[in-house]
Amino acid sequence: MTVQEFLNHMNSGAPVVAGSPVHKAMCALSQEALRLTAELNNTYRTPEEIREIFTRLTGRPVDESFSLFPPFYTDCGKNLILGKNVFFNSGCKVQDQGGITIGDGTLIGHNVVLATLNHHPDPACRGDLIPAPIRIGKNVWIGSNSTILPGVTIGDNAVIAAGAAVAKDVPANTIAGGVPAKILRQIEGTKLDLQIQKSAS
């Protein structure tokens, strides 16, 4: 199975049956990702070296504005799409088999977990996996030790408070926090608001 065939299956949302060709392809990609993240994490790397390793990890060019403080962990990498000026702080764990898209200017704090796979709820099929994508908008700030669960969309400019467990979509221009995360308030009075007001007048 090619990488593109694997991604097509994962992005369709179809289950991954344990022991199937898709599952075997996932396991092979995991081994490649473990090798590349070990290369990334086990010695000092310059920003240029980090971007080069990320290009191999994701299978696509990484913008020169991308930055990351290792260590960083993923067991796939091939379904991770990054915008410009994206920053990962140290200790992040990314399970991107189900697809993760991160918009321009997004900042991700220490030890954040982005998870796109669930195990099947039926005990007889517990080894099967159900993928669902995570979509993170532009200029999002995800606080330290947060967990973003499968199928969640976070709108532009949103803030996720430290330690949150996000199981539902977060609208743009809001702050969400807690376990499970809830909308705490709107973000108002920002420079963005002033720009919008000026352009409308």
Side-chain angles (χ1 to χ4, degrees), residues 52-131:
E52 190 275 329
I53 293 170
F54 247 75
T55 293
R56 287 187 280 143
L57 184 64
T58 62
R60 58 181 63 85
V62 176
D63 192 80
E64 63 180 15
S65 64
F66 171 75
S67 60
L68 173 144
F69 291 168
F72 172 89
Y73 304 96
T74 183
D75 52 2
C76 185
K78 295 297 186 283
N79 215 3
L80 175 61
I81 299 172
L82 303 171
K84 297 180 179 180
N85 295 299
V86 170
F87 170 69
F88 281 95
N89 218 321
S90 61
C92 291
K93 298 174 178 68
V94 172
Q95 182 194 58
D96 62 284
Q97 288 92 334
I100 296 175
T101 304
I102 301 175
D104 297 348
T106 287
L107 308 175
I108 300 177
H110 295 91
N111 303 315
V112 167
V113 174
L114 305 176
T116 65
L117 295 176
N118 274 315
H119 284 280
H120 202 290
D122 182 348
C125 305
R126 191 55 51 82
D128 296 355
L129 296 162
I130 302 169

